[in-house]
Amino acid sequence: MKRQFLAEWHRLKIEHTHDRDQHNNYGCFNVEACRNCNYVYNSRAAISCHNCDSVIECVQCVDCRDCAYCVGLNGARFHILNREYSEQEYYEKLHELGIDWNVQAFDPLDPYASL
């Protein structure tokens, strides 16, 4: 009974996680060093973020865009260290801090990557 239980558990894990990459990301594109993320795009070093675009070093953010070094935000845009900025101030602050906001993490073996 135990062997059958473990075999079924293993089958279910394989079946439901086959689309995840080696860093446990799912549905992500153009990401660099992200972990445990779902539907994250153009981002670097995000951890456990979901449905985000252009985030840098963010942790547990959801539905965020253009954020850097933030934790636990939901639906935020143009934030650094959980503080909101205007679009212009956001990019000026990143430039002032010497942070490159461009992510070019395309896989050279990906036939759909536009290099």
Side-chain angles (χ1 to χ4, degrees):
M1 180 66 169
K2 185 177 181 181
R3 184 176 289 186
Q4 183 182 10
F5 174 82
L6 292 175
E8 180 65 9
W9 169 240
H10 180 71
R11 184 191 69 77
L12 286 170
K13 279 195 316 185
I14 296 297
E15 183 178 300
H16 292 279
T17 61
H18 72 280
D19 287 337
R20 293 191 174 272
D21 67 13
Q22 71 248 18
H23 304 296
N24 203 28
N25 296 315
Y26 178 79
C28 297
F29 181 73
N30 196 31
V31 295
E32 178 184 332
C34 293
R35 303 284 187 268
N36 302 318
C37 293
N38 296 311
Y39 305 106
V40 171
Y41 309 98
N42 307 314
S43 299
R44 181 173 52 246
I47 300 172
S48 299
C49 291
H50 307 286
N51 198 33
C52 293
D53 187 3
S54 302
V55 296
I56 302 168
E57 302 262 351
C58 290
V59 178
Q60 295 181 337
C61 290
V62 178
D63 297 325
C64 293
R65 185 169 179 205
D66 301 302
C67 293
Y69 302 92
C70 294
V71 177
L73 294 182
N74 188 351
R77 186 151 190 211
F78 303 120
H79 280 66
I80 300 173
L81 294 174
N82 288 25
R83 181 174 171 212
E84 187 174 12
Y85 293 87
S86 71
E87 182 176 1
Q88 183 178 349
E89 291 172 328
Y90 175 78
Y91 289 110
E92 286 173 358
K93 185 74 168 173
L94 289 181
H95 182 71
E96 176 185 314
L97 294 170
I99 298 168
D100 181 15
W101 57 85
N102 294 310
V103 177
Q104 296 294 325
F106 290 109
D107 182 355
L109 300 177
D110 182 358
Y112 301 106
S114 58
L115 299 175

